[in-house]
Amino acid sequence: MTDAKSSGGGSTFTVVVAALANLGIAVAKAVAGLISGSSAMLSEAAHSVADTVTEVLLLTALKRSEKPADEDHPLGYGPERYVWALLASVATFVGGAVFSIYDGVHTLLAGEDLGSPLLSYLVLVVAFLLEGFSLRTGLKQVRGEAGRLGAPARHYFRRTPDTAVKAVVMEDSAALVGLLLAAGGLLGGQLTGSGVWDGIASLLIGVLLVYVAWVLGRSNAQLLIGRPVSAPMREGIRQELLSVPHVISVLELTTLIQGPDETLVAAKVDFLDTVSAEQVESASELAERRLRERYASIKRVYLDPTSGREQRRRIRAAGDDPTAVPGEGDGERGP
């Protein structure tokens, strides 16, 4: 995995490119929508405004999450990016989806007077090129990060804790689809002389933005609540701990994603009863070093030496199967 600095820099560049593209596109769409009278164009203008606000919030998230840990926040500010990213998904919903749906319903009920669509078509073409460039930048980062992790790009995109890049890619993809819908609405109105097609296009743009806002909101909420690393990475952490001398088993393993390049690991570890306190300390230091070397995203490791026999007694007292202890017996190298 890339280090936090390089990953954060790539995310910032991706978001800045998207913000600049959307700001210019929003103004052009608004002008074209007012001249042509197209509700779909005005919905697309609201879409681009919402995207611009989203990118500003994402930039705020990236900058504030980079603050180092201090006395008041001993685990750092990494999760703060998910607070701002969650607000960005709300901005997408309120600023884009609600307006688009309202404008579509209003057009279907009240109708609209269509003006010349020429300027709107021109703006749509330019916007498509700019949004395509912004999407290309986001996809390039996704493929690069996935390649460094040795994971399929689609899987990385679905599970990445870097929700800033995820937001840019999803919003730019939605923008391209929205542009096609707006063009279809304009063309339908031009061919039939009815504003119904434009209203339908506006409604579809609104539904599309509701979906994007829901996906991004859910992703950020999961990370704010606390999401563990993937199952393969958890298994890798467990095996790495078991490879350390004097470790019998990993009784409990807790992982927590605190940022795109920041993971916390806490584990209850059963050591051989015959080892000294000094050997336990050395083994713990070795375990932390190995985990950091294998997974660059792991920044904090907390190991709690715990007697496996005591835990088995507690399980028996509770009437459970003692063999159900997570990791019990895995990789045992002692009595």
Side-chain angles (χ1 to χ4, degrees):
M1 180 177 287
T2 58
D3 56 64
K5 184 175 180 180
S6 63
S7 178
S11 299
T12 300
F13 176 75
T14 300
V15 174
V16 168
V17 169
L20 294 176
N22 281 310
L23 183 60
I25 291 170
V27 174
K29 287 178 181 176
V31 172
L34 292 172
I35 292 176
S36 66
S38 168
S39 64
M41 283 301 298
L42 291 176
S43 295
E44 272 298 298
H47 182 176
S48 293
V49 170
D51 284 353
T52 303
V53 173
T54 294
E55 265 94 52
V56 171
L57 291 172
L58 291 177
L59 285 173
T60 303
L62 291 172
K63 293 303 178 184
R64 291 187 63 85
S65 65
E66 291 174 355
K67 295 168 61 178
D70 53 35
E71 186 175 349
D72 293 327
H73 297 84
L75 297 181
Y77 291 79
E80 187 171 352
R81 75 161 54 202
Y82 301 126
V83 175
W84 290 93
L86 182 61
L87 293 176
S89 66
V90 173
T92 298
F93 176 77
V94 175
V98 172
F99 177 84
S100 298
I101 292 174
Y102 165 79
D103 203 37
V105 172
H106 179 269
T107 299
L108 291 175
L109 295 178
E112 66 181 8
D113 296 325
L114 296 175
S116 173
L118 181 60
L119 179 60
S120 294
Y121 284 128
L122 179 61
V123 169
L124 288 175
V125 171
V126 174
F128 197 90
L129 294 175
L130 291 176
E131 294 284 9
F133 175 75
S134 177
L135 177 60
R136 178 178 175 272
T137 302
L139 290 176
K140 183 178 180 181
Q141 183 178 352
V142 169
R143 286 193 294 266
E145 294 295 331
R148 279 186 283 271
L149 290 171
R154 181 175 297 180
H155 175 78
Y156 169 82
F157 179 75
R158 187 168 59 250
R159 298 289 299 174
T160 179
D162 192 347
T163 54
V165 173
K166 187 171 186 175
V168 169
V169 171
M170 288 200 67
E171 288 170 356
D172 286 343
S173 299
L176 292 176
V177 175
L179 291 171
L180 294 176
L181 289 172
L186 284 170
L187 182 60
Q190 189 178 7
L191 294 176
T192 64
S194 171
V196 170
W197 295 101
D198 211 39
I200 293 175
S202 185
L203 281 174
L204 291 176
I205 291 170
V207 171
L208 178 65
L209 291 178
V210 167
Y211 172 74
V212 171
W214 176 73
V215 171
L216 294 178
R218 184 184 62 175
S219 297
N220 286 291
Q222 288 175 343
L223 288 160
L224 278 173
I225 294 170
R227 200 184 84 188
V229 299
S230 65
M233 183 172 174
R234 291 198 302 272
E235 183 59 27
I237 292 171
R238 184 184 298 277
Q239 294 303 321
E240 201 67 51
L241 291 173
L242 290 170
S243 70
V244 175
H246 312 305
V247 172
I248 297 176
S249 63
V250 178
L251 303 174
E252 293 182 16
L253 176 62
T254 301
T255 62
L256 179 65
I257 295 175
Q258 296 184 291
D261 298 281
E262 192 169 348
T263 300
L264 179 149
V265 175
K268 286 183 177 295
V269 179
D270 187 11
F271 289 90
L272 284 169
D273 293 338
T274 55
V275 299
S276 64
E278 182 179 357
Q279 288 174 314
V280 170
E281 292 173 355
S282 298
S284 298
E285 292 175 357
L286 176 61
E288 180 174 0
R289 186 167 63 252
R290 286 183 177 180
L291 288 175
R292 287 174 177 268
E293 290 174 353
R294 181 168 176 178
Y295 301 106
S297 65
I298 294 179
K299 304 302 181 185
R300 296 177 179 86
V301 178
Y302 301 106
L303 300 182
D304 179 12
T306 305
S307 170
R309 289 195 300 274
E310 179 63 29
Q311 184 147 336
R312 285 192 290 272
R313 280 195 294 269
R314 289 199 301 267
I315 292 175
R316 290 193 186 96
D320 295 330
D321 182 3
T323 62
V325 179
E328 183 65 34
D330 291 346
E332 288 194 1
R333 293 184 304 278

